[in-house]
């Protein structure tokens, strides 16, 4: 079946989040790792391409985004969704606006919308300001993110320096009035040449209204929760029909490894809890690895019983991350840790691991690419926005749970194992 909705996600945990939420519709979702080198075949109505473009240098991010669009067009997609983080993670240069503008130019359109709200995970947008739970974004732990520290909560201010076109807002008062009011507001903004429109949303009903109003826009951008509302609209228009049986996990040995490179507040708590519960653990010290190489962690891993699901982590509190970055630079530290965790994943797989639980989007990108996965099936949801995924195309069948930094409950690492075992 030809693709209907073509989605481009700027990181890997974001892509599994999106694929999981689209999958709630009961329609088939296909998740591709990177832009496939082959022309489209065996396409699903809902296609997602996972990129590692969020923190990439701008020209590389744009080139990846455009290539993804070309592939999705060839797959037959009629509408497109650009997925970024529900906390609008972008570097100081910022890749979100330029990626959206490149897509707009390639699609020949003058306006798109931006809505990262993800109410189930506590992200809401009000008067253009993004909240994480009760805190404005810039007062949340996201202000200390290792690669994309968020120091402003206002989406219009964040977007403005990233784009050439003008930025506007459709606020909650209008959104609450329904689809027609939203459409009118967008049209009014279009007459003022406002190309980039931030949309307020505080709950799923707001997102459904926005999706309804924007259903004919060739390009919509936002978080996974906005995209979640689209399949039902396509079904009601007769663009998609039928249900897909949720893919089941391939038969897998129990051997598991947990790899954590996220330094979010939630991941810190999850790692601490998992270790407290008795999981075998190894902490990567980036300065030590920079000085002596990664052999010590490989030696440790080789001695582990993988049925005990050991954890290897670089996860650290903000003060420790700052210390490391001051010694070796944020980009070099991030890359070194990602490389080390990716090599651990390959070593664990060679030692028999078939289940991989990974925390952090950049980290997940490095691990998934090193494992050679090219297409993932989306399976059972462990927590909102975190499904298990199954890779049948790699050398061995494996299951991967790619956890966004801030998602999941404190017991996530054991929750993931419980869900996979169907308990
Ligand atoms: N101790 C540390 N010191 C410095 N950098 C670190 C440390 N531990 C991890 N990092 C780096 O921080 C970055 C964390 O980004 P990552 O995307 O993996 O997690 P996240 O942002 O919490 O997840 P998500 O994007 O899914 O929300 C990675 O590049 C990682 O290598
Ligand atoms: O939207 C989110 O918060 C996540 O899917 C994500 O993008 C994490 O990197």
């Amino acid at each position: 079946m030809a693709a209907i909705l073509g989605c481009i996600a700027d990181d890997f945990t974001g892509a599994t989040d999106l694929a999981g939420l689209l999958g709630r519709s009961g329609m088939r979702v296909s998740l591709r790792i990177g832009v496939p080198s082959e022309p489209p075949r065996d396409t699903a109505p809902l296609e997602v391409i996972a990129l590692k473009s969020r923190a990439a240098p701008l020209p590389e991010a744009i080139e990846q985004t455009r290539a993804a669009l070309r592939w999705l067009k060839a797959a037959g997609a009629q509408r497109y969704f650009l997925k970024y983080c529900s906390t609008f993670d972008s570097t100081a240069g910022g890749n979100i606006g330029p990626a959206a503008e490149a897509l707009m130019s390639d699609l020949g359109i003058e306006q798109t919308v931006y809505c990262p709200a993800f109410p189930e995970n506590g992200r809401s947008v009000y008067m253009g300001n993004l909240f994480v739970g009760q805190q404005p974004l810039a007062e949340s732990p996201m202000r200390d993110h290792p690669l994309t520290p968020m120091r402003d909560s206002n989406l219009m201010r964040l977007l403005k320096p990233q784009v050439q076109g003008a930025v506007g807002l459709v606020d909650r008062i209008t959104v609450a009035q329904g689809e027609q009011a939203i459409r009118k507001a967008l049209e009014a903004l279009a007459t003022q040449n406002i190309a980039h429109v931030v949309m307020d949303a505080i709950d799923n009903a707001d997102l459904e209204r926005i999706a309804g109003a924007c259903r004919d826009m060739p390009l919509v951008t936002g978080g996974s929760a906005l995209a979640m509302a689209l399949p039902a609209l396509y079904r009601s228009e007769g663009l998609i029909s039928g249900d897909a049986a949720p893919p089941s996990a391939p038969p897998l040995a129990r051997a598991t490894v947990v790899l954590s490179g996220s330094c979010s507040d939630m991941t810190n708590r999850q790692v601490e809890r998992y270790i407290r519960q008795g999981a075998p653990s190894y902490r990567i010290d980036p300065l030590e690895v920079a000085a002596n190489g990664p052999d010590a962690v490989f030696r440790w891993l080789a001695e582990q019983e993988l049925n005990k699901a050991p954890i290897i982590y670089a996860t650290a509190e903000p003060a420790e991350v700052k210390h490391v970055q001051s010694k070796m630079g944020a980009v070099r530290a991030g890359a070194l840790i990602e490389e080390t965790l990716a090599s651990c994943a390959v070593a664990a797989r060679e030692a028999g691991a078939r289940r991989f639980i990974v925390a952090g989007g950049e980290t997940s990108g490095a691990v998934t690419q090193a494992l050679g996965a090219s297409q993932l099936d989306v399976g059972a949801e462990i927590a909102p926005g975190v499904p298990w995924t199954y890779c049948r195309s790699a050398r061995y069948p494996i299951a991967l749970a790619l956890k966004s930094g801030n998602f999941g409950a404190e017991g996530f690492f054991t929750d993931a194992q419980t869900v996979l075992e169907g308990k």
Side-chain angles (χ1 to χ4, degrees), residues 33 73 162 166 194 302 315 331 339 347 376 413 415:
I33 302 302
K73 264 188 181 169
Q162 297 187 14
I194 309 281
T315 304
V331 173
E339 222 172 87
L376 300 176
F413 298 128
D415 293 348

Side-chain angles (χ1 to χ4, degrees), residues 31-65:
L31 172 53
R32 321 265 172 175
I33 302 302
V35 183
S37 50
E38 304 284 313
R41 104 185 147 72
D42 186 27
T43 48
L46 308 170
E47 282 283 341
V48 179
I49 294 184
L51 299 180
K52 196 171 182 299
S53 58
R54 184 174 294 172
L58 185 57
E60 196 183 311
I62 298 305
E63 139 68 33
Q64 284 186 38
T65 307

Side-chain angles (χ1 to χ4, degrees), residues 11 13 54 145-147 261-263 314 316 334 337-338 360-363 404-405:
D11 86 339
T13 47
R54 184 174 294 172
H145 190 280
L147 300 178
S262 161
C263 294
I337 294 161
E338 287 172 36
E362 297 300 320
T363 310
S404 292

Side-chain angles (χ1 to χ4, degrees), residues 11 13-14 17 54 83-86 404 407:
D11 86 339
T13 47
D17 166 14
R54 184 174 294 172
K83 157 74 176 72
Y84 39 78
C85 195
S86 61
S404 292
F407 290 179

